[in-house]
């Protein structure tokens, strides 16, 4: 009798082969007559039916090589090896290479067949043949390339270790992930109940509850969501990186009639395993409305396996949903079983989840009690009962996410007070914001946002240059992701802006803690910055000028920093700038107002940079400009000059520093200027010779009217103000300072008496030492009045004292030293004679007689 083995490939590449043994002599046979159903995975390219026969009932033929090109004619010639043998016939013992069967039963063995490594084993009364995943699971030869395709393998224990210890930077993230999973379960149930209301049943409201237990060291997170069946437990929790939410969304997309639900949070399929950050053991009890049974999933942190069993305890039965219990590690029991800590984490990460989240909290209440007063001694009256109040503590559920996501609502339905209240609660502020904007962006990137301008600047000056502020809170589907950004969403100069951003399209890393750089992020940043500038500009155009004045006092430095760091937004930043000017010394003006006040012939915006408003007003550089009615901007803050230099122009008007050379005022008399230069060329050369390398040259000035001279900087060097700032740098480089301070040019006023006297001296007495000292002193004085720092202040002081002595000598009738000495000798002799006479007649004076009228003790 022949034994037949039939291999029949199915469409899913699962090959069923049926072994039908009809044994006549079952006494001497190892395997009893039975019907076996085996499963074997083979490549998809293996097609057709293959039949192998054995010469007797005691043998089963297994071909060592399965050819994909077998034909019916070639089947008869396939060699065979005996698989099963009787106990009495030792000559026909199993000899299938590495696979063998012991006489006392079937044991797990390996053998190769057609490039496949197969496991043969016995499970109960069944024979099991498996394909080892660690071997070559699929080996196909492409017709064109001739290469081999392999499947990736993973070490489960190592992968779990990476997820738990390397994926997340903070342990507290576990609560955010588990609450997000619970929210997804509730969202799925709500969506499916639209078409199948029976899924809701009588299991109560859709909610999430979190209960820490300090005594047991556990945290229990329960929801009344969709729950899971046994198969779903294996599929979702037993398969790493298998996101049930992603599968649910894909199913919705395939069925276009149902649409899609973008409120679902799950994405990567690893958030559940964050529970092992703090737990040494996790138990999941779940009940699906589609199943009558409740199942328990249980796993340990140090294990790569899990257990699923049916819940049999009637007291632990759930009507619907999932209950996750975390058995905390010893190091985390104290922190994460504290109710206030759990409450804080929920408010931080899951405050805007659309379902109510209740936490188990200790509360207190005032109750009235009756107490009997003790009778006094000797009184027989019964004691009176008096009511008193006392405070008692109790435990109860408390709603943790009261604040609603205001950005999800229509801006037309929200009042200003509601925006202010949301701002104060979210960012712990006590002042109302100066301005806010609420907008939704659609197109390539969709996100909602509410951003605010605070009512006060940060107290710490370091926040001005620190891009890592916590002012922007990023949410994905209302779940908090992060507020720690390094300029990804807002540039550094707008770091004072506070707000929330919620998007479904953000490219996050798997831990949902880091925003990855991508085109989507750049588009979001661009639109957020644009909306911020629109908000500030609207504040500037408001009729109430006090609001923008307050904004500028608090955040003007931030805006000026934008002139330096963001050249792409100069057109938006420049109209927001405000400065004092020679015409408006008390009120700040904008550049637009400056241009409106300009004369038609004026083709530049003039400015001067100093350290204070007072020094700007008295600067000698402004004399001629103020005389001609030309307005000059006062840059009195350290950042102003650098900001203006980065702008260069505004509305086709160049910015010109009046403290630098080649100042053109436009209406000078060229003939008179040429004559003056020709007349004083000798003086300029003589003064340059006296000063040497201190100045690059000496020339006639067109900007002075009352001062004798001034020192101006070269076109490409530092101004006096910039040189002062660079000297004050903590890590300043002295070599750079000497190089960048550039040329100093001395300009003289030919109409001033001092210059005319020096002009006469250079003609009549060019070698006069007094004239040379006057030139040196004039240079040192111009150095100070122009804003520069003298190299030797002590030397300058000595020159000034010397000139003062010359100027003041004998002016008020100073006596000569010899006459003063003789007068001193006469005075001393007279005083000696008087003292001897007084000694002869000593008079006693009472204290009251020497009291003066101004004595404070006279009253």
């Amino acid at each position: 009798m022949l034994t037949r083995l039939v291999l029949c490939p199915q469409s899913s590449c699962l090959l069923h082969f049926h072994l039908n043994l009809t044994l006549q002599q079952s006494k001497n046979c190892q395997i009893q007559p039975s019907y076996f159903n085996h499963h074997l995975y083979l490549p998809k390219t293996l097609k057709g039916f293959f039949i192998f026969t054995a010469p007797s009932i005691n043998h089963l033929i297994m071909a060592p090589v399965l050819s994909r090109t077998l034909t019916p004619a070639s089947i008869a010639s396939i060699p065979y090896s005996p698989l099963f043998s009787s106990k009495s016939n030792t000559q026909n013992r199993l000899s299938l290479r590495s696979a063998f069967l012991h006489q006392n039963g079937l044991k797990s063995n390996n053998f190769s067949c057609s490039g496949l490594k197969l496991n043969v084993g016995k499970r109960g009364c069944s024979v099991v043949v498996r394909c080892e995943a660690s071997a070559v699971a699929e080996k196909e030869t492409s017709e064109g390339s001739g290469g081999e395709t392999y499947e990736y393998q993973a070490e489960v224990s190592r992968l779990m270790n990476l997820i738990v210890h390397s994926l997340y930077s903070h342990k507290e993230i576990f609560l955010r992930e588990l609450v997000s999973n619970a929210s997804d379960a509730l969202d799925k149930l709500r969506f499916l109940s639209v078409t199948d209301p029976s899924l809701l049943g009588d299991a109560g409201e859709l909610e999430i509850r979190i209960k820490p237990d300090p005594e047991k060291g556990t945290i229990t997170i329960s929801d009344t969501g969709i729950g899971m069946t046994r198969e779903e437990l294996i599929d979702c929790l037993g398969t790493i990186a298998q996101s049930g939410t992603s599968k649910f969304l894909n199913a919705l997309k395939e069925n276009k009639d149902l649409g899609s639900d973008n409120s679902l949070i799950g994405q990567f399929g690893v958030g559940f395993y964050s529970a092992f950050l703090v737990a040494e053991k996790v138990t999941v009890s779940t009940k699906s409305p589609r199943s009558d049974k409740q199942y328990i999933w249980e796993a340990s942190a140090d294990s790569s396996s899990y257990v699923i069993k049916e819940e049999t305890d009637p007291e632990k039965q759930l009507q619907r949903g999932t209950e996750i219990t975390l058995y905390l590690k010893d190091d985390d029991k104290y922190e994460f079983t504290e109710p206030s800590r759990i409450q804080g984490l929920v408010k931080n990460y899951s405050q805007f989840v659309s379902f109510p989240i209740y936490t188990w909290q200790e509360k207190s209440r005032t109750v009235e009690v009756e107490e009997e007063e003790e009778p006094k001694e000797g009184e027989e009256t019964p004691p009176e009962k008096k009511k008193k109040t006392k405070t008692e503590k109790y435990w109860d559920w408390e709603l943790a996410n009261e604040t609603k996501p205001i950005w999800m609502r229509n801006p037309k339905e929200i009042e200003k007070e509601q925006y202010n209240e949301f701002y104060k609660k979210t960012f712990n502020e006590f002042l109302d914001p100066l301005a806010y904007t609420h907008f939704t962006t659609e197109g390539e990137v969709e996100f909602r946002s509410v951003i605010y301008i605070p009512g006060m600047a940060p107290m710490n000056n370091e926040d001005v240059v620190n891009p890592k502020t916590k002012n922007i809170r990023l949410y994905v589907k209302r779940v908090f992701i992060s507020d720690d950004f390094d300029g990804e969403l807002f540039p550094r100069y707008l770091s004072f802006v506070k707000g929330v951003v919620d998007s479904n399209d953000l490219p996050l890393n798997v831990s949902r803690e880091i925003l990855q750089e991508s085109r989507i992020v750049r588009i979001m940043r661009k639109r957020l910055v644009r909306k911020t500038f629109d908000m500030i500009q609207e504040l500037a155009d408001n009729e109430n000028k006090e609001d923008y004045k307050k904004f500028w006092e608090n955040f003007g430095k931030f805006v000026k920093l934008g002139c330096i760091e963001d050249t792409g937004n100069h057109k938006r930043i420049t109209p927001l700038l405000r400065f004092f000017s020679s015409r408006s010394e008390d009120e700040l003006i904008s550049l637009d107002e400056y241009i409106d006040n300009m004369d038609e012939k004026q083709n530049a915006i003039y400015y001067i940079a100093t350290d204070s408003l007072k020094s700007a007003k008295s600067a000698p550089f402004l004399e001629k400009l103020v005389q001609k009615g030309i307005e000059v901007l006062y840059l009195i803050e350290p950042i102003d000059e650098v900001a203006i230099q980065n702008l260069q122009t505004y509305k086709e008007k160049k910015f010109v520093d009046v403290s630098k050379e080649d100042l053109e005022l436009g209406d000078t008399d060229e003939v008179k200027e040429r004559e003056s230069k020709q007349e004083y060329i000798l003086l300029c050369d003589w003064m340059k010779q006296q000063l040497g390398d201190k100045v690059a040259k000496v020339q006639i000035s067109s900007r002075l009217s009352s001062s004798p001279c001034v020192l101006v900087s070269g076109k490409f060097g530092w101004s006096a103000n910039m040189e002062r700032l660079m000297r004050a740098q903590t890590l300043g480089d002295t070599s750079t300072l000497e190089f960048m301070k550039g040329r100093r040019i001395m300009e003289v006023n030919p109409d001033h008496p001092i210059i005319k006297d020096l002009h006469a001296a250079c003609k009549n007495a060019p070698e006069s030492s007094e004239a040379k000292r006057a030139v040196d002193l004039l240079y040192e004085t111009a150095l100070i009045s122009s804003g520069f720092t003298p190299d030797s202040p002590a030397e300058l002081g000595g020159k000034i004292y010397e000139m003062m002595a010359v100027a003041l000598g004998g002016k008020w009738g100073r006596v000569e030293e010899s006459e003063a000495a003789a007068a001193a000798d006469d005075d001393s002799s007279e005083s000696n004679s008087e003292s001897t006479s007084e000694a002869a007649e000593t008079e006693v004076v009472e204290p009251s007689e020497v009291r003066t009228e101004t004595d404070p003790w006279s009253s």
Side-chain angles (χ1 to χ4, degrees):
M1 185 175 182
L2 295 179
T3 301
R4 178 171 295 181
L5 175 65
V6 182
L7 284 79
C8 176
Q10 305 295 326
S11 60
S12 63
C13 193
L14 175 63
L15 301 184
H16 302 272
F17 64 91
H18 307 283
L19 178 60
N20 189 359
L21 295 178
T22 306
L23 304 178
Q24 293 179 347
Q25 301 175 352
S26 59
K27 295 180 181 180
N28 297 327
C29 199
Q30 178 180 336
I31 298 181
Q32 300 298 323
S34 180
Y35 179 86
F36 296 90
N37 189 6
H38 306 282
H39 305 278
L40 178 65
Y41 288 91
L42 292 177
K44 292 181 180 180
T45 54
L46 183 60
K47 298 179 180 180
F49 291 86
F50 304 95
I51 303 174
F52 306 96
T53 58
S56 67
I57 60 173
N58 297 329
H59 299 82
L60 173 67
I61 303 302
M62 280 293 289
V65 179
L66 299 179
S67 174
R68 295 175 185 172
T69 58
L70 286 176
T71 61
S74 63
I75 293 177
S77 61
I78 295 177
Y80 68 90
S81 301
L83 181 61
F84 302 109
S85 62
S86 62
K87 296 180 181 179
S88 59
N89 189 358
T90 57
Q91 295 180 353
N92 293 330
R93 187 177 300 169
L94 173 66
S95 61
L96 184 57
R97 298 183 182 177
S98 61
F100 60 91
L101 299 174
H102 291 283
Q103 292 183 0
N104 57 354
L106 187 63
K107 292 188 177 181
S108 178
N109 296 280
N110 300 329
F111 66 91
S112 297
C113 182
S114 183
L116 301 174
K117 187 175 181 180
L118 305 178
N119 277 345
V120 180
K122 184 176 181 181
R123 181 182 297 170
C125 59
S126 302
V127 177
V128 180
V129 182
R130 294 181 180 271
C131 175
E132 283 285 346
S134 60
V136 182
E138 183 170 317
K139 181 178 178 181
E140 297 185 8
T141 303
S142 303
E143 295 179 359
S145 62
E148 296 179 349
T149 303
Y150 298 88
E151 288 185 356
Y152 290 107
Q153 308 302 323
E155 186 179 343
V156 177
S157 59
R158 178 62 177 164
L159 181 59
M160 283 292 295
N161 184 68
L162 289 174
I163 291 174
V164 174
H165 297 100
S166 304
L167 193 59
Y168 300 96
S169 58
H170 302 288
K171 288 184 176 182
E172 63 189 34
I173 295 296
F174 82 94
L175 192 62
R176 181 195 70 182
E177 297 295 318
L178 295 180
V179 170
S180 298
N181 290 346
S183 176
D184 277 354
L186 294 167
D187 261 320
K188 293 176 189 176
L189 178 63
R190 181 172 59 181
F191 184 85
L192 295 174
S193 65
V194 175
T195 56
D196 188 2
S198 63
L199 293 175
L200 292 174
D202 300 327
E205 299 293 332
L206 301 180
E207 61 185 16
I208 303 170
R209 294 183 182 268
I210 305 173
K211 185 176 182 179
D213 190 338
E215 296 181 359
K216 297 181 179 179
T218 62
I219 301 177
T220 302
I221 304 169
S222 59
D223 65 78
T224 56
I226 189 64
M228 289 178 282
T229 62
R230 181 187 181 91
E231 292 73 18
E232 288 171 340
L233 274 176
I234 298 173
D235 188 39
C236 297
L237 302 188
T239 306
I240 300 175
Q242 173 72 25
S243 173
T245 300
S246 296
K247 292 179 65 177
F248 184 75
L249 289 176
N250 292 334
L252 294 181
K253 291 177 181 179
E254 292 177 1
N255 189 346
K256 297 181 181 180
D257 296 335
L258 293 178
S260 62
D261 188 358
N262 287 331
S263 63
L264 294 172
I265 302 165
Q267 181 177 357
F268 301 106
V270 296
F272 169 78
Y273 306 102
S274 64
F276 292 107
L277 288 169
V278 296
E280 59 186 8
K281 176 184 173 184
V282 177
T283 300
V284 179
S285 181
T286 182
K287 171 70 167 60
S288 172
R290 296 171 175 172
S291 174
D292 297 332
K293 296 181 180 180
Q294 180 175 331
Y295 294 97
I296 298 176
W297 183 96
E298 188 176 295
S300 301
D302 56 353
S303 175
S304 59
S305 61
Y306 58 91
V307 176
I308 296 179
K309 58 185 178 181
E310 184 178 345
E311 179 62 77
T312 57
D313 189 349
E315 296 182 357
K316 297 181 179 180
Q317 290 293 328
L318 303 174
Q319 291 182 320
R320 184 192 65 232
T322 302
E323 184 178 275
I324 302 176
T325 303
L326 309 183
Y327 296 86
L328 299 179
K329 300 175 182 178
D330 293 336
D331 296 339
D332 301 313
K333 284 183 179 180
Y334 177 78
E335 179 181 1
F336 295 110
T337 56
E338 180 66 29
S340 59
R341 174 66 166 153
I342 298 298
Q343 181 92 340
L345 292 178
V346 172
K347 286 183 176 294
N348 185 43
Y349 289 105
S350 307
Q351 185 178 16
F352 303 109
V353 169
S354 55
F355 299 97
I357 303 175
Y358 295 93
T359 58
W360 190 247
Q361 298 291 324
E362 185 180 24
K363 299 181 179 182
S364 61
R365 59 190 172 191
T366 303
V367 295
E368 290 186 354
V369 294
E370 292 184 351
E371 293 184 356
E372 294 182 354
E373 292 186 353
E374 296 182 359
K376 296 180 180 181
E377 296 182 359
E379 293 184 358
E380 298 179 355
T381 57
E384 296 181 357
K385 294 183 178 180
K386 291 187 177 181
K387 292 184 177 181
K388 294 184 178 181
T389 59
K390 69 174 184 178
T391 303
E392 67 175 11
K393 294 183 178 181
Y394 68 101
W395 290 85
D396 197 3
W397 293 105
E398 181 178 329
L399 183 63
N401 56 339
E402 293 180 342
T403 307
K404 302 302 179 184
I406 198 171
W407 64 85
M408 302 297 293
R409 298 168 56 187
N410 189 345
K412 297 180 180 179
E413 301 174 355
I414 308 173
E415 300 293 334
K416 181 179 179 181
E417 291 74 15
Q418 293 176 296
Y419 282 113
N420 294 345
E421 183 182 358
F422 175 82
Y423 167 76
K424 292 178 180 179
K425 285 186 177 181
T426 305
F427 299 102
N428 297 322
E429 292 285 346
F430 61 93
L431 293 176
D432 289 339
L434 290 175
Y436 62 87
T437 180
H438 181 186
F439 61 93
T440 301
T441 302
E442 297 178 350
E444 295 180 84
V445 182
E446 295 184 5
F447 66 92
R448 297 171 180 265
S449 179
V450 180
I451 53 180
Y452 297 87
I453 297 177
M456 184 177 64
M459 302 297 293
N460 189 359
N461 291 330
E462 293 181 358
D463 291 342
V464 177
V465 293
N466 183 16
K468 288 190 175 182
T469 61
K470 295 185 179 296
N471 292 338
I472 300 299
R473 296 177 62 85
L474 176 65
Y475 293 83
V476 172
K477 300 174 183 177
R478 303 176 311 281
V479 176
F480 174 70
I481 299 300
S482 178
D483 58 3
D484 187 11
F485 300 107
D486 193 6
E488 290 95 340
L489 292 180
F490 271 93
R492 181 172 67 158
Y493 67 93
L494 291 179
S495 59
F496 65 91
V497 177
K498 297 186 177 183
V500 295
V501 179
D502 191 348
S503 175
N504 300 339
D505 302 327
L506 288 180
L508 301 171
N509 69 338
V510 179
S511 65
R512 299 175 183 266
E513 296 173 288
I514 302 174
L515 186 63
Q516 297 175 347
E517 179 64 25
S518 70
R519 180 172 171 271
I520 294 178
V521 178
R522 291 192 294 270
I523 294 174
M524 288 185 63
R525 173 191 169 109
K526 185 177 180 180
R527 294 182 180 176
L528 286 169
V529 170
R530 184 179 302 173
K531 286 292 184 180
T532 302
F533 279 125
D534 292 344
M535 176 175 56
I536 299 175
Q537 188 62 53
E538 184 179 350
L539 187 65
D541 297 338
N542 195 354
E543 295 180 357
N544 186 5
K545 299 299 181 182
E546 290 299 321
D547 289 342
Y548 192 77
K549 183 179 180 180
K550 188 175 181 181
F551 164 80
W552 189 255
E553 290 175 355
N554 287 281
F555 307 109
K557 295 178 182 179
F558 289 82
V559 179
K560 294 172 184 176
L561 182 62
C563 298
I564 304 170
E565 296 187 343
D566 193 355
T567 57
N569 282 306
H570 276 177
K571 291 183 179 180
R572 294 185 176 90
I573 297 174
T574 312
L576 303 175
L577 299 176
R578 298 291 185 270
F579 302 100
F580 292 105
S581 72
S582 57
R583 291 185 183 177
S584 178
E585 298 178 353
D586 299 325
E587 294 290 335
L588 294 166
I589 66 167
S590 65
L591 294 179
D592 290 326
E593 291 174 329
Y594 179 94
I595 293 176
D596 293 339
N597 297 333
M598 286 173 50
D599 188 80
E600 294 180 358
K601 297 180 181 179
Q602 184 177 339
N603 55 6
I605 300 174
Y606 298 102
Y607 70 90
I608 182 172
T610 61
D611 59 345
S612 66
L613 187 61
K614 185 176 181 180
S615 61
K617 294 177 183 178
S618 59
F621 306 101
L622 307 181
E623 294 173 356
K624 207 72 167 184
L625 286 88
V626 173
Q627 188 177 10
K628 292 184 176 183
I630 299 175
E631 191 173 11
V632 181
L633 296 176
Y634 295 158
L635 311 186
I636 59 177
E637 291 187 348
I639 195 175
D640 288 352
E641 185 175 2
V642 183
I644 291 295
Q645 288 175 353
N646 278 269
L647 292 177
Q648 297 183 351
T649 62
Y650 179 63
K651 291 186 176 180
E652 299 181 355
K653 305 289 184 181
K654 290 184 178 181
F655 289 96
V656 176
D657 188 351
V658 298
S659 67
K660 293 194 174 182
E661 65 174 327
D662 296 340
L663 179 65
E664 297 179 1
L665 301 179
D667 57 347
T668 57
D669 189 347
E670 296 182 359
V671 176
K672 184 178 179 180
E673 185 177 355
R674 193 182 307 112
E675 292 177 354
S676 297
K677 288 182 179 180
Q678 189 67 29
E679 181 182 357
Y680 286 89
I681 188 172
L682 181 62
L683 172 65
C684 294
D685 293 341
W686 178 70
M687 293 181 68
K688 172 65 174 75
Q689 184 180 1
Q690 301 303 319
L691 297 175
D693 295 336
K694 293 180 180 178
V695 295
K697 63 180 178 179
V698 180
Q699 64 185 21
I700 301 300
S701 177
S702 61
R703 72 186 85 203
L704 298 176
S705 61
S706 59
S707 298
C709 63
V710 71
L711 280 177
V712 299
S713 305
K715 273 187 176 181
F716 306 104
W718 285 338
S719 65
N721 182 67
M722 184 60 67
E723 187 175 323
R724 175 181 59 84
L725 293 175
M726 297 308 296
R727 285 181 183 273
Q729 297 298 312
T730 305
L731 301 177
D733 187 358
T734 55
S735 61
T736 306
L737 179 65
E738 292 299 323
F739 174 75
M740 286 301 297
K741 72 179 183 180
R743 308 187 309 161
R744 292 175 181 174
I745 301 168
M746 190 173 188
E747 293 186 356
V748 296
N749 180 10
D751 299 329
H752 198 276
I754 296 178
I755 302 302
K756 290 181 178 180
D757 290 342
L758 289 177
H759 187 210
C762 77
K763 287 183 178 180
N764 301 326
E767 299 299 328
S768 172
S769 59
E770 292 182 358
K772 291 180 179 180
R773 287 199 301 270
V775 172
D776 287 339
L777 184 60
L778 191 66
Y779 167 77
E780 298 286 352
T781 307
L783 199 68
I784 296 176
S785 64
S786 301
F788 294 98
T789 303
D791 296 332
S792 178
E795 184 179 349
L796 173 60
K799 292 178 182 179
I800 294 175
Y801 298 150
E802 183 180 353
M803 295 297 291
M804 289 177 64
V806 173
L808 300 178
K811 186 174 182 180
W812 293 287
R814 184 181 60 181
V815 295
E816 298 296 334
E817 293 181 359
S818 59
E819 296 177 357
D825 292 340
D826 295 339
D827 293 339
S828 62
S829 60
E830 291 178 0
S831 62
N832 289 335
S833 61
E834 290 178 358
S835 61
T836 54
S837 61
E838 289 177 358
E841 300 178 0
T842 305
E843 182 181 1
V844 178
V845 181
E846 295 295 332
S848 60
E849 296 180 11
V850 299
R851 186 175 62 191
T852 61
E853 295 180 358
T854 58
D855 189 353
W857 304 100
S858 59
S859 56

